[in-house]
Amino acid sequence: MTPTAWPRVILEDDEVVGFVMANWDPENEIPEFRGGIWRLNVADEAKGRGVGRFAVEQVVHEARRRGYSQITVLWDPAEDGPEGFYLKAGFEKTGELFGETVGTLAL
Ligand SMILES: CC(C)(COP(=O)(O)OP(=O)(O)OC[C@H]1O[C@@H](n2cnc3c(N)ncnc32)[C@H](O)[C@@H]1OP(=O)(O)O)[C@@H](O)C(=O)NCCC(=O)NCCS
């Protein structure tokens, strides 16, 4: 496993309803990979109930604790992708990398 990875499952009662993996790597030569969300998945049956928003809040909390002033995420710009979700969470589109949209959230 990558030592900079920060994987967490999200529970609702005893059920796993989501998975988020952040990455904390402040020295990474690619600025977009210094701190932020690598993966976020919410179980189909739990979508639309705030689990994704909760996951972003937890990553933000951890980023602040580590002294970050911003976090990034890359998403697939496809119509049915998560862009609307990340924009609603406060991310701004700040570029493109490897064909994906880069979103940045100032903390
Ligand atoms: C994108 C994803 C993480 C959202 O999780 P979720 O738990 O359904 O989202 P939430 O219920 O917390 O939604 C928060 C807000 O974003 C909105 N939203 C959620 N998904 C959206 C989408 N795809 N487009 C636009 N708005 C969206 C919700 O309506 C909600 O708005 P509100 O605050 O007005 O109520 C989830 O759909 C998912 O796992 N998708 C597949 C994997 C993926 O794309 N992961 C991200 C790539 S790293």
Side-chain angles (χ1 to χ4, degrees):
M1 187 173 125
T2 313
T4 58
W6 189 85
R8 294 291 185 274
V9 293
I10 297 145
L11 300 175
E12 192 176 62
D13 301 324
D14 286 339
E15 293 285 313
V16 174
V17 290
F19 172 73
V20 62
M21 178 134 73
N23 181 49
W24 311 116
D25 188 11
E27 307 301 327
N28 198 301
E29 63 188 44
I30 302 175
E32 287 82 353
F33 292 157
R34 287 180 188 157
I37 297 172
W38 261 0
R39 265 192 71 179
L40 172 57
N41 282 89
V42 173
D44 279 343
E45 61 276 16
K47 281 179 181 158
R49 284 202 259 128
V51 175
R53 180 172 31 226
F54 173 80
V56 171
E57 284 166 4
Q58 298 311 304
V59 172
V60 164
H61 181 77
E62 180 64 12
R64 288 208 173 102
R65 197 182 69 75
R66 289 170 182 256
Y68 279 82
S69 58
Q70 63 173 45
I71 57 170
T72 52
V73 65
L74 269 59
W75 66 74
D76 178 351
E79 186 91 3
D80 59 352
E83 179 165 304
F85 166 76
Y86 283 121
L87 294 180
K88 206 154 225 182
F91 285 84
E92 287 181 24
K93 291 199 244 180
T94 53
E96 278 177 36
L97 204 60
F98 311 125
E100 302 219 289
T101 301
V102 179
T104 303
L105 178 64
L107 305 181

